[in-house]
Amino acid sequence: MAGFNQEIIEEIRSRCEIAEFIGNYVQLKRSGTSSFTGLCPFHQEKTPSFHVEGKWQRYHCFGCGKDGDVFKFVMEHDNISFPDAVRQLAQRCGVPLPETGDYDAGAAGMKRDQKERIFKVNEEFSNLFVRFLRENPRSPAGIYLQQRGISRDIADKFSIGALPEERYFCLNYGRHLGFTDEDLVAAGICGRSEESGRIYERFTGRLTFAIQNEYGRGVGFSARSLEPKPADGRKYVNTPETLVFKKGMLLYALPQAREAIAKERTVILCEGQMDTIAMHRAGFTNAVAPLGTAFTPDQAKLLKRYADTVNLCFDSDGAGQKAFLRALEYLLPLSVSIRMIPIPGGKDPDELYSHGGAEAVAAAVNAGIPWLEQFRNQLPGLYDMSTPVGRGQAAAFMVSLFALLKNPIELETYIREGAALLQVSEEALYSELRARRNKERRIVDFSKQPSVETPAPASVVRVSPERSTLLTLFALAVASQDNAREICDLLPPETLEGESLLCRALNLLLAGAAGGESEEDIAAALNNMLTENNDEELGKLLIKPPVFSDPEKALTDSVSELIRIYKRRRYAEIMAEIRSCNDPERRFELMKQLKEFSK
């Protein structure tokens, strides 16, 4: 893309969460768990028609038709080119920007021995950092841990270490062990300046926390500054993304907690490393944490593999409340029990343990409440619960979370509990749920009627039956992975061999449903497709897929229709070849094929 390596584009996109970014320009109001609306910045309007969908990292205005991803937003808003938008966003989110196609430091398909070498680098430096801390108990890091009550046993258990204020400490040690400078850069121990090409130390003078994958292999580090005001302004510095370090797919202390989680089928999710360590010190060895970033779908799925109950232990401030809602968004579809651990006095687990010990932490854990009760507690800060309008908005928000549930028994239970918490009838919540599902109802045949939110075009554009059918299948696949999996099962692959954008996009969704890629990878690939070849209808469907009155019938009818279209096309192609074929053997083979397609 315009001279930029594809992995750089994906790195920038992953760091620029679209709703958060666009929220700097447009006042957005939440309309669902990952959906937002606001007044369009591209045309004058009084009623919001501008929608942002976090799941697909896209926006679409149903008034003026503007549509795209975060790069397209910057291009449209600032009237700049794609390369300039990439540079602007890269600078904003701190992504180094090589502009050649030769950069492949994190490219898929790297040889296994390269990953093994990075594992080896991390192992050697973890041992070095731990050894330095152990041998220098009066160093700033050693004194800090003593003040926090962290014993040597705890430090060793979590591979906590430190580095001196020595300029080339890691570089010289790595070279001494036989690692090349490129090995150290590839592992993230060192960095390389883009301007000068010089190697620099990444963690100098910091306290280090070793990060391991779920199998206990070292993949990187999180390093804490011991200065009240670090020179670079960063309290924590993490290993950058490498072949083995993917922040959104890792959980701190999972190797130490995995056995306890699997045994109890319960996990405690904290906000940071010190909170997690405090939980372990208090006897709750099933505690883990994200790596200084927002909780992700991949981390939720990782927890689901080990636990049936997730206890959220977040701060009570605004960031903690936001983290709570984000966790709900990813955990509710997984059918896990979700509870919230309230920390008294606005403290965090580390502070609670420091002042009250294990008993205080145990009391907080035992006082955990269901997520729905915690959600109810947050509503007064979000809506005016003293007015009917405010209560209605609160109910709508609650129902948007209920809509994530896949199990009908869970839904019925939560509707009952939610009605009691809001002091409304169950029927009122069911009515809100039905209204939500019917709000975007559209006629299945896209060729017959335009969206009610989009002005009808001056001249009618005819849509082919094949495109109409593919649009319906695409909408069904966007709306539900279950739909996408059923389409995979029913639709022969040869019916989707077309090179059109719609065919490729639908194939991508179906491949994702089959377990090939994560939601984030699918979203990124779709955004790349639509950036290169814009299709407004696909953009609309990604933002607001229609709700079908009978999705099963729509699915089976569309699959049958697409198969019929494919057979008619192949019949015509075979007939044309028969008419021009002079080879008797080939004509006989074609006649056999024609007989099959005539069935």
Side-chain angles (χ1 to χ4, degrees):
M1 283 189 176
F4 295 106
N5 179 273
Q6 187 59 46
E7 292 210 358
I8 295 296
I9 300 297
E10 302 309 339
E11 174 68 11
I12 295 170
R13 183 183 282 122
S14 68
R15 292 195 188 187
C16 293
E17 202 284 322
I18 193 165
E20 182 179 342
F21 179 81
I22 293 179
N24 293 313
Y25 302 85
V26 179
Q27 186 173 355
L28 296 175
K29 180 180 178 182
R30 184 181 290 274
S31 59
T33 54
S34 61
S35 306
F36 302 83
T37 59
L39 295 175
C40 181
F42 303 117
H43 79 286
Q44 295 294 321
E45 64 177 6
K46 295 182 179 179
T47 303
S49 60
F50 184 78
H51 292 250
V52 179
E53 175 51 62
K55 177 179 179 181
W56 300 111
Q57 292 296 296
R58 291 190 69 79
Y59 67 89
H60 183 88
C61 178
F62 288 87
C64 67
K66 295 291 186 182
D67 177 272
D69 61 1
V70 68
F71 296 103
K72 189 66 176 290
F73 182 86
V74 174
M75 292 166 63
E76 294 279 2
H77 189 273
D78 295 351
N79 193 27
I80 59 177
S81 66
F82 177 76
D84 287 340
V86 172
R87 294 185 186 98
Q88 180 175 317
L89 288 170
Q91 184 177 11
R92 185 186 185 103
C93 63
V95 173
L97 205 59
E99 290 199 20
T100 69
D102 299 328
Y103 179 78
D104 61 351
M110 285 293 226
K111 296 179 181 179
R112 182 180 296 273
D113 60 349
Q114 290 178 291
K115 290 186 177 181
E116 287 298 323
R117 195 157 182 83
I118 293 177
F119 283 132
K120 183 65 175 175
V121 170
N122 283 313
E123 178 185 346
E124 292 289 354
F125 276 89
S126 178
N127 292 336
L128 171 67
F129 299 160
V130 169
R131 187 166 64 249
F132 176 84
L133 178 62
R134 186 183 298 130
E135 294 173 355
N136 295 272
R138 302 307 300 168
S139 65
I143 294 172
Y144 172 82
L145 291 182
Q146 290 173 23
Q147 292 172 343
R148 301 297 295 266
I150 304 293
S151 67
R152 177 177 292 183
D153 288 344
I154 292 295
D156 288 347
K157 175 182 177 180
F158 291 95
S159 297
I160 300 174
L163 282 81
E165 289 283 355
E166 186 176 320
R167 190 173 182 185
Y168 294 116
F169 182 75
C170 291
L171 187 61
N172 291 333
Y173 185 75
R175 289 171 175 172
H176 170 73
L177 293 179
F179 295 119
T180 66
D181 292 358
E182 290 308 315
D183 288 335
L184 301 180
V185 172
I189 296 294
C190 295
R192 185 186 294 279
S193 169
E194 280 196 44
E195 296 179 357
S196 65
R198 295 178 63 183
I199 300 290
Y200 62 87
E201 300 280 327
R202 193 180 299 278
F203 307 128
T204 300
R206 291 175 176 262
L207 184 72
T208 63
F209 299 84
I211 307 300
Q212 300 169 329
N213 62 20
E214 62 181 308
Y215 307 109
R217 303 207 69 181
V219 295
F221 299 90
S222 180
R224 188 190 194 284
S225 174
L226 298 172
E227 299 292 331
K229 293 183 178 180
D232 59 6
R234 294 185 294 174
K235 183 177 180 180
Y236 281 93
V237 175
N238 288 321
T239 294
E241 297 281 304
T242 71
L243 287 176
V244 301
F245 187 85
K246 309 292 181 184
K247 282 190 297 186
M249 302 178 72
L250 295 164
L251 288 165
Y252 179 69
L254 182 56
Q256 292 86 350
R258 187 171 63 167
E259 184 178 346
I261 296 172
K263 181 179 180 180
E264 301 169 20
R265 299 300 299 173
T266 300
V267 65
I268 296 174
L269 184 66
C270 301
E271 285 195 75
Q273 285 108 337
M274 294 303 292
D275 291 338
T276 302
I277 292 171
M279 281 290 180
H280 280 254
R281 293 171 70 192
F284 295 94
T285 57
N286 59 336
V288 297
L291 300 181
T293 57
F295 188 57
T296 69
D298 286 322
Q299 290 167 336
K301 292 171 185 174
L302 187 56
L303 289 181
K304 171 65 175 175
R305 286 166 49 187
Y306 296 102
D308 301 317
T309 299
V310 179
N311 292 281
L312 304 175
C313 191
F314 298 154
D315 293 348
S316 57
D317 58 10
Q321 291 185 20
K322 184 178 180 181
F324 168 71
L325 294 175
R326 175 65 64 89
L328 291 182
E329 178 183 341
Y330 300 139
L331 290 170
L332 283 173
L334 301 180
S335 291
V336 293
S337 177
I338 308 168
R339 296 179 65 82
M340 185 73 184
I341 299 175
I343 304 298
K347 298 183 177 70
D348 56 39
D350 181 44
E351 189 177 2
L352 182 63
Y353 180 81
S354 297
H355 290 86
E359 290 184 0
V361 175
V365 173
N366 293 332
I369 57 178
W371 74 264
L372 195 54
E373 186 175 338
Q374 173 65 19
F375 178 76
R376 191 272 307 272
N377 294 340
Q378 291 187 5
L379 288 178
L382 300 172
Y383 305 102
D384 184 356
M385 301 298 289
S386 66
T387 68
V389 172
R391 293 173 70 83
Q393 292 171 338
F397 190 10
M398 181 180 284
V399 167
S400 73
L401 295 174
F402 291 164
L404 296 170
L405 299 166
K406 297 180 179 180
N407 186 305
I409 296 176
E410 289 181 47
L411 176 61
E412 180 181 349
T413 302
Y414 281 127
I415 288 280
R416 186 184 309 119
E417 294 177 357
L421 288 174
L422 287 179
Q423 296 182 346
V424 299
S425 69
E426 293 177 29
E427 179 53 37
L429 293 186
Y430 276 116
S431 177
E432 179 67 33
L433 183 62
R434 286 192 296 268
R436 175 183 173 81
R437 290 175 172 172
N438 293 334
K439 185 176 181 181
E440 310 304 330
R441 187 186 306 279
R442 292 169 65 183
I443 295 176
V444 171
D445 188 347
F446 289 84
S447 65
K448 293 183 179 179
Q449 182 172 326
S451 166
V452 295
E453 294 190 65
T454 305
S459 59
V460 176
V461 178
R462 294 189 177 277
V463 179
S464 70
E466 182 175 7
R467 178 173 170 82
S468 174
T469 304
L470 286 169
L471 282 170
T472 301
L473 290 172
F474 183 84
L476 287 161
V478 168
S480 161
Q481 277 213 332
D482 290 339
N483 288 344
R485 281 188 284 268
E486 188 170 353
I487 294 170
C488 280
D489 293 339
L490 296 177
L491 199 62
E494 60 269 18
T495 59
L496 287 177
E497 290 180 349
E499 291 300 315
S500 70
L501 174 64
L502 183 50
C503 263
R504 289 186 290 127
L506 180 54
N507 270 317
L508 192 61
L509 287 180
L510 300 185
E517 299 289 346
S518 68
E519 276 190 357
E520 289 73 21
D521 291 337
I522 297 297
L526 282 171
N527 275 310
N528 290 335
M529 283 185 183
L530 293 175
T531 297
E532 295 170 1
N533 303 282
N534 189 39
D535 187 312
E536 185 177 331
E537 192 67 38
L538 293 191
K540 291 180 185 177
L541 294 179
L542 284 172
I543 298 296
K544 297 177 75 175
V547 178
F548 296 90
S549 56
D550 189 344
E552 186 65 30
K553 185 176 187 302
L555 191 154
T556 54
D557 287 352
S558 297
V559 166
S560 298
E561 177 62 18
L562 194 61
I563 292 173
R564 282 195 295 270
I565 291 171
Y566 169 75
K567 286 186 174 182
R568 284 198 298 269
R569 182 170 64 246
R570 283 295 297 136
Y571 184 91
E573 291 171 351
I574 294 171
M575 282 297 297
E577 189 175 352
I578 288 174
R579 294 189 186 101
S580 62
C581 182
N582 296 319
D583 182 349
E585 291 186 5
R586 177 58 180 163
R587 281 176 63 88
F588 179 73
E589 180 62 31
L590 291 170
M591 291 298 292
K592 286 173 61 179
Q593 293 182 25
L594 192 65
K595 186 177 180 180
E596 288 297 316
F597 281 100
S598 300
K599 293 180 179 179

